[in-house]
Amino acid sequence: MNTYELIAPCHFGLEAVLKKEILDLGYEISQVEDGRVTFIGDDEAICRGNVFLRTAERVLLKAGSFHAETFEELFQGTMAIDWEAFIPEDGKFWVAKASSIKSRLFSPSDIQSVMKKAMVERLKKYYGIAWFPEHGASFPLRVFIYKDTVTIGIDTSGDSLHKRGYRILASKAPITETLAAALLLLTPWNRDRILVDPFCGSGTFPIEAAMIAAKMAPGMNRSFLSEDWKHLIKRKCWYEAMDEANDQMDTGAKVDIQGYDIDGAIVKAARQNAAAAGVDHMIHFQQRPVSALSHPKKYGFMISNPPYGERIEEKENLPALYREIGERFRELDAWSMYLITSYEEAEKYIGRKADKNRKIYNGMLKTYFYQFMGPKPPGRKLENKGN
């Protein structure tokens, strides 16, 4: 089997969570940068990375890296890469996305055009043809240029890995599946502890928690672009990855996971999404306002993505809402609370300073993951997954 460098992009601020996931799969980390983790693996790693990684946005096969300050250097550097090792004669190839930070080359459209021309020149000479039919498997490229260093990855995933295949319906401001999973993995929650989301929306936090509890691989119910790369990845690798995912699954796990929302239609959507994910039997969804939040048991977890007033008319309601969150939290006995929000006065109205506060970029939106730690249950050493 060939050995590759594989690049896994993730949300800014959550690289450590993804790094742990990759190490747990048994792969060597070669580099950790803002928003991505690079690791060493073979074609089996491409399959297992796509099927098992909960917090990566996609898995990219690193084609090459070089320095370029001019478009001529970009052209020559791109043409020097062994594209024939990846792309067959009938392959469809293009630069799907180019980003540039602190570099002399900054126009995405020009970068994309120059690189495509360079690839065509290289492959024309190799295959001895002047025109490419491009009716075979797809090879979209993603290019990062940082301080004039060009890094090129071929996308093995296709649709972003946050698209697990279960979200049929979404609420107004859904949290992505990858971000929800990463935040859950940052907490000490495990499947024998109560978990409640009082603003569950379309159910992403409860569904991701149930999938973690059931050891259900996030990529089990979807396909990947590189399944068509039969010259690089044997079908056997995909079958083995899916067999591994099926073997470890435990959908009979006993859990107490609950999701509430004030909107009855969105609660119905959450139930449908949970059913599509195969975990509806593990979650109790109910239409209920946050003012009715209560639970008789101790040592539970609340995790949520509450409203944070992106629309001006909603901002005036935030002080009362966050005050209510704080009041309900204080009534819960020895619980922990984790909230992701862009509302910078959250702690003020909750009435308590968070024990930890992690800055996370949700797309272009700067958010804060407020962590209010409750006491550990007696007689149990609780592993803290955050760091």
Side-chain angles (χ1 to χ4, degrees), residues 190-241:
N190 58 62
R191 67 185 189 176
D192 61 355
R193 304 282 294 276
I194 304 153
L195 187 76
V196 175
D197 181 354
F199 300 94
C200 72
S202 51
T204 311
F205 269 129
I207 292 169
E208 289 295 319
M211 290 176 71
I212 290 169
K215 300 178 182 177
M216 185 181 291
M220 286 186 71
N221 297 314
R222 56 160 287 171
S223 59
F224 306 98
L225 192 67
S226 52
E227 288 179 53
D228 292 331
W229 298 1
K230 297 179 178 66
H231 63 301
L232 285 180
I233 306 172
K234 296 183 179 70
R235 293 298 300 171
K236 177 183 159 192
C237 289
W238 291 107
Y239 295 142
E240 287 176 348

Side-chain angles (χ1 to χ4, degrees), residues 11 34 73 87-88 96 103 115 140 166 194 210 230 241 279-280 296 319 326 333 362-363:
H11 284 275
D34 286 346
E73 288 176 339
I87 301 172
S103 300
M115 292 183 69
Y166 67 72
I194 304 153
K230 297 179 178 66
V279 294
D280 50 318
D333 191 357
N362 185 4

Side-chain angles (χ1 to χ4, degrees), residues 108-252:
S109 59
D110 289 335
I111 292 165
Q112 289 167 303
S113 176
V114 168
M115 292 183 69
K116 171 74 176 189
K117 286 176 184 173
M119 293 173 71
V120 168
E121 284 304 307
R122 168 89 187 202
L123 292 172
K124 270 168 62 175
K125 290 177 183 174
Y126 183 83
Y127 289 117
I129 56 176
W131 179 80
F132 290 89
E134 296 199 63
H135 53 52
S138 294
F139 298 84
L141 270 60
R142 291 188 167 247
V143 180
F144 316 94
I145 306 181
Y146 180 67
K147 291 184 178 178
D148 301 318
T149 296
V150 182
T151 303
I152 307 169
I154 309 174
D155 184 9
T156 75
S157 304
D159 284 339
S160 170
L161 294 181
H162 82 265
K163 295 185 177 180
R164 317 285 207 218
Y166 67 72
R167 191 147 72 181
I168 303 162
L169 298 162
S171 55
K172 283 187 300 184
I175 188 169
T176 66
E177 295 85 335
T178 46
L179 179 54
L183 297 180
L184 283 161
L185 293 174
L186 264 181
T187 78
W189 177 78
N190 58 62
R191 67 185 189 176
D192 61 355
R193 304 282 294 276
I194 304 153
L195 187 76
V196 175
D197 181 354
F199 300 94
C200 72
S202 51
T204 311
F205 269 129
I207 292 169
E208 289 295 319
M211 290 176 71
I212 290 169
K215 300 178 182 177
M216 185 181 291
M220 286 186 71
N221 297 314
R222 56 160 287 171
S223 59
F224 306 98
L225 192 67
S226 52
E227 288 179 53
D228 292 331
W229 298 1
K230 297 179 178 66
H231 63 301
L232 285 180
I233 306 172
K234 296 183 179 70
R235 293 298 300 171
K236 177 183 159 192
C237 289
W238 291 107
Y239 295 142
E240 287 176 348
M242 293 306 295
D243 285 345
E244 181 184 355
N246 279 302
D247 288 345
Q248 74 174 27
M249 195 161 54
D250 179 17
T251 53

Side-chain angles (χ1 to χ4, degrees), residues 132-385:
F132 290 89
E134 296 199 63
H135 53 52
S138 294
F139 298 84
L141 270 60
R142 291 188 167 247
V143 180
F144 316 94
I145 306 181
Y146 180 67
K147 291 184 178 178
D148 301 318
T149 296
V150 182
T151 303
I152 307 169
I154 309 174
D155 184 9
T156 75
S157 304
D159 284 339
S160 170
L161 294 181
H162 82 265
K163 295 185 177 180
R164 317 285 207 218
Y166 67 72
R167 191 147 72 181
I168 303 162
L169 298 162
S171 55
K172 283 187 300 184
I175 188 169
T176 66
E177 295 85 335
T178 46
L179 179 54
L183 297 180
L184 283 161
L185 293 174
L186 264 181
T187 78
W189 177 78
N190 58 62
R191 67 185 189 176
D192 61 355
R193 304 282 294 276
I194 304 153
L195 187 76
V196 175
D197 181 354
F199 300 94
C200 72
S202 51
T204 311
F205 269 129
I207 292 169
E208 289 295 319
M211 290 176 71
I212 290 169
K215 300 178 182 177
M216 185 181 291
M220 286 186 71
N221 297 314
R222 56 160 287 171
S223 59
F224 306 98
L225 192 67
S226 52
E227 288 179 53
D228 292 331
W229 298 1
K230 297 179 178 66
H231 63 301
L232 285 180
I233 306 172
K234 296 183 179 70
R235 293 298 300 171
K236 177 183 159 192
C237 289
W238 291 107
Y239 295 142
E240 287 176 348
M242 293 306 295
D243 285 345
E244 181 184 355
N246 279 302
D247 288 345
Q248 74 174 27
M249 195 161 54
D250 179 17
T251 53
K254 301 298 181 187
V255 292
D256 186 349
I257 300 173
Q258 302 171 28
Y260 304 124
D261 202 280
I262 198 169
D263 186 335
I266 216 69
V267 169
K268 184 179 178 183
R271 289 194 184 105
Q272 289 177 276
N273 290 340
V279 294
D280 50 318
H281 63 291
M282 300 174 70
I283 307 169
H284 172 68
F285 287 110
Q286 187 178 341
Q287 182 180 359
R288 182 191 288 191
V290 69
S291 59
L293 176 63
S294 64
H295 202 291
K297 293 183 181 177
K298 298 177 69 167
Y299 306 114
F301 283 74
M302 176 165 46
I303 186 164
S304 201
N305 173 36
Y308 29 89
E310 288 308 293
R311 290 200 290 255
I312 293 171
E313 63 269 22
E314 293 174 344
K315 286 191 182 294
E316 62 187 28
N317 301 323
L318 293 183
L321 177 65
Y322 281 81
R323 194 176 291 116
E324 186 122 61
I325 292 171
E327 289 170 359
R328 299 320 306 157
F329 175 52
R330 283 188 287 276
E331 291 299 313
L332 296 166
D333 191 357
W335 278 47
S336 299
M337 179 170 71
Y338 300 84
L339 302 176
I340 181 169
T341 177
S342 67
Y343 186 45
E344 296 190 354
E345 294 191 276
E347 291 168 302
K348 173 183 174 181
Y349 292 107
I350 286 169
R352 173 180 160 183
K353 185 170 175 59
D355 297 290
K356 288 186 179 181
N357 179 9
R358 184 183 285 243
K359 187 189 298 180
I360 294 165
Y361 281 88
N362 185 4
M364 296 303 291
L365 182 67
K366 183 171 69 174
T367 62
Y368 302 92
F369 189 46
Y370 294 105
Q371 303 166 64
F372 301 88
M373 314 292 197
K376 299 174 186 178
R380 177 187 299 164
K381 185 178 180 183
L382 188 63
E383 179 186 356
N384 187 350
K385 297 176 190 171

